[in-house]
Amino acid sequence: MPNLEHPAYPAAALLRLESLVPCRESQVSTLLSIFGERQHFSFPSIFIYGHTSSGKTYVIQTLLNTLQLPHVFVNCVEHFTSRLLLEEILIQLQNSSEPKQTSHVPCDTFNDFVRLFKQAIGAQDLQDQTLYVVLDRAEQLREMEANILPAFLRLQELTDRNVTVILLSEIVWEMFRPNTGCFEPFTLYFPDYSIGHLQKILSQNHPPEYSADFYAAYINILLGVFYMVCRDLKELQHLAALNFSKYCEPVVRGEAKERDTRKLWKNIEPHLKKAMQTVYLREISSSQWERLQRVEGEPGQLKGLSAHSHVELPYYSKFLLIAAYLASYNPVRTDKRFFLKHHGKIKKTNFMKKHEKTSNHLLGPKPFPLDRLLAILYSIVDNRVAPTANIFSQITSLVTLQLLSMVGNNDQLDGPRYKCTVSLDFIRSIAR
């Protein structure tokens, strides 16, 4: 019995949609109930959020294309100004009725956009259908004029047309909400894929020359190695495609059968260890990796790559470490002087507490709250940092690494009263 059912859409289309979006039946069912029938007025705006590679963009595109619903899809990173964004929406609307027409549509203000938008819908005879305007990477809207986001949330009201705006983002709605208030969209969360979901999705891409059970066993081994350090579906798909040829080598040479799991594991283990050193970094291309795999060398080592004595940290992790170090060794009262450009006059005083006469490096790192860490981070990074899930996951990773290092050193953790500190030795240990 199919999981997706809706009286307004053909059963064959829903069955095909279910096969294209595995492990997202619950979210698709919710969206279908919100959309309703083609002629029904849907919710004015829908906000969909979740971590990277949680299927937000893919599910929305597949849903709209499979059910052949009229829509416009715009990436806000590519169209980074309000004018480019509004003009792109109008151009796509124009091209959907006349594919050969690519004339420029000048649009300077949102008032012009509303007028031209109503004309475009009338020209395409879309009054009896819901038009969906999908804005991917919607967090970029916060960088535009203050009226853009509230206006998109009320586009149905402003145009008096059957239109629904769908915002896709990696950050929560609370980081979008303007101070002056706005229309609240319907929010829908896309959770991360579990290991069972990843197993099911990755196993669907098995090569036709091998059985599904054989490829599923390979995916099980791959997830057993990489799941703790990488849960990004795109990265796992890349790793699966890159290392499958090595997994098949004993079968191709006739040294093992598809069910000889032990022999296949012993053959693939050193190559997966090599791949562990370049997860997320992508220091080499796929062709270079395949050439490297053919070079006989010591297992588990990469020549000229991550076998160096240092590890390249993610971009914001470097600044997070610096911010944590500054927060650990600098008193709170010095933050204004060090991290504000216009901090005003500071009274000089010779009065110092007894413990302040001693170097802070001799006293050791002090605990600090998360808010202070983020405030210092925002002040030392040149560009504006969005508080996305990636930032908080990197903070969690660094704290976890320090906890593991403290446990390894037999340090005593004071239970729930433990607060984070970052010492110079800890930074050096990560750099090694």
Side-chain angles (χ1 to χ4, degrees):
M1 183 177 178
N3 293 323
L4 299 179
E5 293 182 355
H6 199 285
Y9 303 103
L14 293 177
L15 194 62
R16 183 167 179 270
L17 177 63
E18 185 177 343
S19 65
L20 292 174
V21 288
C23 308
R24 283 290 179 249
E25 293 84 0
S26 174
Q27 286 74 24
V28 173
S29 179
T30 302
L31 288 170
L32 287 175
S33 62
I34 297 171
F35 288 175
E37 300 184 14
R38 292 175 180 269
Q39 70 276 13
H40 289 171
F41 270 75
S42 180
F43 207 86
S45 54
I46 303 172
F47 182 80
I48 300 175
Y49 67 103
H51 288 181
T52 307
S53 297
S54 56
K56 305 180 296 296
T57 304
Y58 173 75
V59 167
I60 290 297
Q61 285 183 321
T62 306
L63 172 62
L64 296 175
N65 291 329
T66 304
L67 301 181
Q68 298 181 353
L69 300 175
H71 66 278
V72 172
F73 189 93
V74 182
N75 190 314
C76 296
V77 173
E78 297 176 4
H79 307 88
F80 50 89
T81 66
S82 58
R83 179 170 181 173
L84 290 174
L85 178 63
L86 300 177
E87 289 179 355
E88 178 63 20
I89 294 174
L90 295 173
I91 289 172
Q92 288 192 29
L93 270 177
Q94 196 178 66
N95 292 345
S96 60
S97 59
E98 301 177 17
K100 294 183 180 179
Q101 183 176 354
T102 57
S103 60
H104 177 68
V105 184
C107 181
D108 295 324
T109 65
F110 208 91
N111 288 335
D112 295 337
F113 172 75
V114 171
R115 176 176 53 82
L116 296 170
F117 187 84
K118 293 166 70 173
Q119 293 176 3
I121 290 182
Q124 295 188 48
D125 195 22
L126 289 174
Q127 289 88 344
D128 297 332
Q129 296 187 65
T130 304
L131 173 67
Y132 299 93
V133 178
V134 184
L135 303 179
D136 195 13
R137 302 295 297 275
E139 57 268 13
Q140 298 298 320
L141 295 176
R142 303 182 306 162
E143 307 290 337
M144 301 180 187
E145 289 84 350
N147 68 316
I148 294 296
L149 177 59
F152 270 119
L153 295 174
R154 290 185 176 273
L155 188 60
Q156 188 181 102
E157 178 185 341
L158 294 172
T159 60
D160 195 24
R161 296 294 185 270
N162 191 357
V163 57
T164 294
V165 176
I166 302 176
L167 306 175
L168 307 179
S169 179
E170 295 180 9
I171 63 179
V172 296
W173 167 246
E174 284 71 21
M175 306 305 300
F176 276 79
R177 187 182 289 114
N179 296 331
T180 55
C182 65
F183 181 82
E184 293 289 322
F186 179 88
T187 57
L188 180 62
Y189 174 59
F190 273 52
D192 290 340
Y193 289 110
S194 65
I195 189 170
H197 292 162
L198 293 173
Q199 173 82 29
K200 182 179 179 180
I201 295 170
L202 294 173
S203 298
Q204 289 183 338
N205 301 325
H206 71 89
E209 60 269 19
Y210 294 99
S211 65
D213 293 339
F214 176 69
Y215 193 75
Y218 163 68
I219 294 299
N220 191 34
I221 290 175
L222 187 82
L223 290 176
V225 175
F226 289 100
Y227 183 72
M228 293 302 295
V229 296
C230 175
R231 303 185 184 185
D232 190 318
L233 179 59
K234 294 177 183 177
E235 293 292 335
L236 290 171
Q237 286 175 333
H238 176 73
L239 290 168
L242 210 58
N243 295 284
F244 184 63
S245 59
K246 277 293 177 182
Y247 184 74
C248 299
E249 275 186 356
V251 179
V252 174
R253 293 196 298 259
E255 299 175 358
K257 297 181 179 180
E258 290 189 1
R259 294 184 178 276
D260 293 339
T261 311
R262 183 178 177 81
K263 289 184 179 179
L264 295 173
W265 162 248
K266 289 185 68 175
N267 180 69
I268 193 66
E269 181 184 12
H271 304 286
L272 293 182
K273 286 183 177 179
K274 289 182 182 179
M276 279 281 286
Q277 300 176 23
T278 57
V279 175
Y280 290 118
L281 298 181
R282 295 285 179 89
E283 295 174 331
I284 55 176
S285 64
S286 300
S287 58
Q288 289 174 320
W289 172 260
E290 290 173 358
R291 286 198 300 270
L292 186 68
Q293 294 283 58
R294 291 194 291 268
V295 177
E296 294 295 333
E298 211 175 314
Q301 291 186 0
L302 290 176
K303 298 179 180 178
L305 295 174
S306 292
H308 298 303
S309 58
H310 69 279
V311 175
E312 187 69 19
L313 291 173
Y315 179 76
Y316 287 119
S317 290
K318 301 175 185 178
F319 290 101
L320 280 170
L321 274 175
I322 296 172
Y325 177 73
L326 293 173
S328 292
Y329 284 101
N330 290 329
V332 179
R333 59 182 176 79
T334 61
D335 289 351
K336 184 177 179 181
R337 181 176 60 184
F338 290 156
F339 304 115
L340 286 183
K341 292 182 179 179
H342 307 288
H343 51 71
K345 294 183 178 180
I346 297 178
K347 294 178 66 176
K348 293 184 179 180
T349 177
N350 294 325
F351 173 75
M352 291 182 67
K353 296 180 182 179
K354 185 176 181 180
H355 67 275
E356 290 180 348
K357 295 180 181 179
T358 310
S359 172
N360 287 331
H361 287 82
L362 296 177
L363 295 173
K366 304 291 189 303
F368 56 88
L370 179 61
D371 292 342
R372 186 180 175 217
L373 170 68
L374 293 175
I376 296 176
L377 172 68
Y378 299 153
S379 65
I380 63 177
V381 178
D382 292 335
N383 54 339
R384 183 176 176 181
V385 184
T388 60
N390 289 332
I391 294 292
F392 290 103
S393 65
Q394 290 181 36
I395 294 175
T396 306
S397 300
L398 293 175
V399 173
T400 305
L401 282 173
Q402 187 182 12
L403 288 173
L404 291 174
S405 66
M406 294 179 72
V407 172
N409 294 330
N410 294 324
D411 290 336
Q412 298 294 324
L413 301 182
D414 194 11
R417 291 178 294 171
Y418 169 72
K419 294 183 180 179
C420 181
T421 60
V422 174
S423 63
L424 188 59
D425 292 337
F426 174 63
I427 296 178
R428 287 171 178 166
S429 67
I430 292 182
R432 288 197 215 88

